[in-house]
Amino acid sequence: MTAQQNTSLASFTGDANPYGGGDPYADYRTADLPFTQYANLADRQLGAGVVAANDEFFAQRENLLVPEPAEFDPEHFGHKGKVMDGWETRRRRGASAEHPWPTEEDHDWALIRLGAPGVIRGIVVDTAHFRGNYPQAVSVEGTSVAGSPSPEELLADDVKWTTLVPRTAVGGHAANGFAVSAEQRFTHLRLKQHPDGGIARLRVYGEVVPDPAWLTALGTFDVVALENGGQVEDASNLFYSPATNTIQPGRSRKMDDGWETRRRRDRGNDWIQYRLVDRSQIRAVEIDTAYLKGNSAGWASVSVKDGEDGEWREVLPRTRMQPDTNHRFVLPETAVGTHARVDIFPDGGISRLRLFGTLTEDGAARLAARRQELGG
């Protein structure tokens, strides 16, 4: 079963020029896509995975979710041919010498498990370095299936798929972007390429919609974590790295896995503003400066406000930060709010912010209602 809900941005079409040497990204086609402000729900760090594909003869499906940009080595060949950094299928053929061409219905597919289920705002199908071997068109469908379904269960006839990106022509060596307007919660995607070819990367931008029953069972949890439904709303500076890194799962693994600002030459300070999963009671704070040594924040404070029009209240006063250190604070009294803000002085960075607490009664009810409204 398939329903269709989509708003598509203009995408690139046609071949790119053959690689002529030098920087392989010099003629890469891209655009400013507004939905990239949201978190990548298909991030491996959140637990996303490519669970199946019908064909991966030339290049394996797992490359689709590699976080780094695709690489290109013109001299790298293997026993199957040119080694590409992406997902690439074999060339499709027709049924006979009289009809050697693939049919209109022929396509290859891959199933993607989102790392965090949620509402999708935009999708990027990146064909970097696929210049003459990219698909003629792509399409993307989404579904919501509870638990940890197998590929066979996802492909069963009773699973309802919603079209997020209808069959659309794309361009080679380009970031093909598509805005999505379906107000539903999705757990899995089906990416199709028509009729065959290669895709370097897939990015799925949106808002996490957590399972209220799971959060209730956890009791105390991180109410600003991306995987639990927290979001970055704004930040003073994003020069070196995105502020969303501060609410990613796990500890930072290297310097650019946190948030770092440029050096300030004024008397101001840098900050990040967050929206919590919903109205929460915060009892403890963690500020980690892992891998930030000569560039960690000098001091940090945390404030909370209750509601969009609420006033900011400082719950952790300006406190000295140590380089490459995880700082833990138990608050003297519970802080209730819907938004949080970390201020660093005067500049530098932090790798992670954790706000441990529980949902308020009204916050839990609102979250449960939204989950139901979005189709579970």
Side-chain angles (χ1 to χ4, degrees), residues 230-262:
Q231 291 184 42
V232 169
E233 287 194 326
D234 200 3
S236 61
N237 188 274
L238 303 172
F239 189 83
Y240 285 112
S241 45
T244 303
N245 282 353
T246 61
I247 55 175
Q248 287 277 9
R251 294 202 73 200
S252 175
R253 296 167 296 176
K254 51 194 175 75
M255 191 173 71
D256 66 351
D257 193 17
W259 171 61
E260 182 189 359
T261 72
R262 72 178 75 200

Side-chain angles (χ1 to χ4, degrees), residues 302-334:
V302 176
S303 301
V304 171
K305 73 173 182 176
D306 195 9
E308 293 287 349
D309 300 323
E311 294 185 1
W312 290 106
R313 308 180 319 279
E314 191 173 73
V315 298
L316 178 71
R318 193 179 304 186
T319 303
R320 189 74 169 94
M321 295 286 107
Q322 299 299 323
D324 195 27
T325 300
N326 194 22
H327 309 76
R328 290 177 171 173
F329 310 94
V330 176
L331 300 183
E333 58 183 47
T334 300

